[in-house]
Amino acid sequence: GYEGPQKHGLDGEEFYVELMPRVSTSLQSVSLHPNVKETLEDLKSKEKKLAIVSTSYSTEVKPALGINKLEDLFDTVVCGDDVTRFKPDPEPLEKAMREIAAHPEETIMIGDSEKDILAGKNTGVATALFYPEVNQKLYIDEVVKSLRADYFFTDFRDLLQLA
């Protein structure tokens, strides 16, 4: 919805109409954190099922996957236009789990935001918070720690220890 911009006295619809072309343009040049692609390839080689659960629409997510040559690594991609409720609601994660036939006890929700971790907790799966240096400049440490993610890592390669 448009609640965020409205809280700041902005016209929500106008805000998103103006913002989305900029976001789409930015996603054309999105780059990955260090070790992400290699780690995903290693997980895939271990026959792990991988899914993306994003609030962004598929018209934004899928081109970014293509640019980074990641599209073949994921067994499913669930975007904002695939669901009626967004994270932290469990609907998107539950949809992804159904599509890859994953059970809660064998699933880890990996994310870099409060909504990601809460979505995992609301779905009843383990959670892993990715907290790279760039995010440490954006988020308050106490808030991050209060999320109580099951796992916490700053280097994407650390995920291999969970697999």
Side-chain angles (χ1 to χ4, degrees):
Y2 302 125
E3 301 84 11
Q6 288 171 347
K7 285 181 187 175
H8 299 284
L10 302 171
D11 179 288
E13 186 172 355
E14 184 179 318
F15 177 82
Y16 282 104
V17 166
E18 192 171 320
L19 175 70
M20 290 320 295
R22 293 180 189 182
V23 170
S24 294
T25 300
S26 296
L27 285 171
Q28 298 305 313
S29 61
V30 70
S31 60
L32 300 173
H33 287 286
N35 302 319
V36 169
K37 186 172 184 180
E38 299 83 359
T39 301
L40 293 173
E41 290 170 340
D42 284 353
L43 290 169
K44 196 68 179 167
S45 74
K46 293 180 179 185
E47 299 185 11
K48 301 295 181 184
K49 294 180 184 176
L50 303 175
I52 288 183
V53 177
S54 177
T55 302
S56 297
Y57 281 16
S58 56
T59 55
E60 301 154 7
V61 173
K62 292 185 178 178
L65 290 175
I67 288 165
N68 287 289
K69 298 181 176 32
L70 297 176
E71 61 269 38
D72 293 336
L73 293 176
F74 293 95
D75 299 285
T76 191
V77 177
V78 175
C79 298
D81 46 337
D82 297 319
V83 295
T84 57
R85 294 181 306 276
F86 299 142
K87 298 177 287 185
D89 190 275
E91 181 190 353
L93 186 50
E94 287 171 345
K95 179 176 176 55
M97 291 170 60
R98 275 193 309 277
E99 291 182 3
I100 63 172
H103 302 287
E105 62 275 5
E106 62 188 18
T107 300
I108 299 175
M109 174 62 171
I110 301 160
D112 65 354
S113 74
E114 179 179 16
K115 288 184 178 181
D116 293 328
I117 301 306
L118 292 176
K121 290 181 179 296
N122 290 338
T123 310
V125 302
T127 57
L129 181 67
F130 179 48
Y131 193 52
E133 187 175 329
V134 66
N135 287 22
Q136 294 169 26
K137 298 172 187 172
L138 301 174
Y139 301 116
I140 301 167
D141 284 344
E142 291 75 30
V143 173
V144 169
K145 290 175 185 169
S146 74
L147 296 175
R148 299 185 187 270
D150 298 299
Y151 305 99
F152 181 91
F153 62 105
T154 57
D155 183 327
F156 218 76
R157 298 288 298 170
D158 292 342
L159 275 180
L160 295 173
Q161 297 172 16
L162 304 178

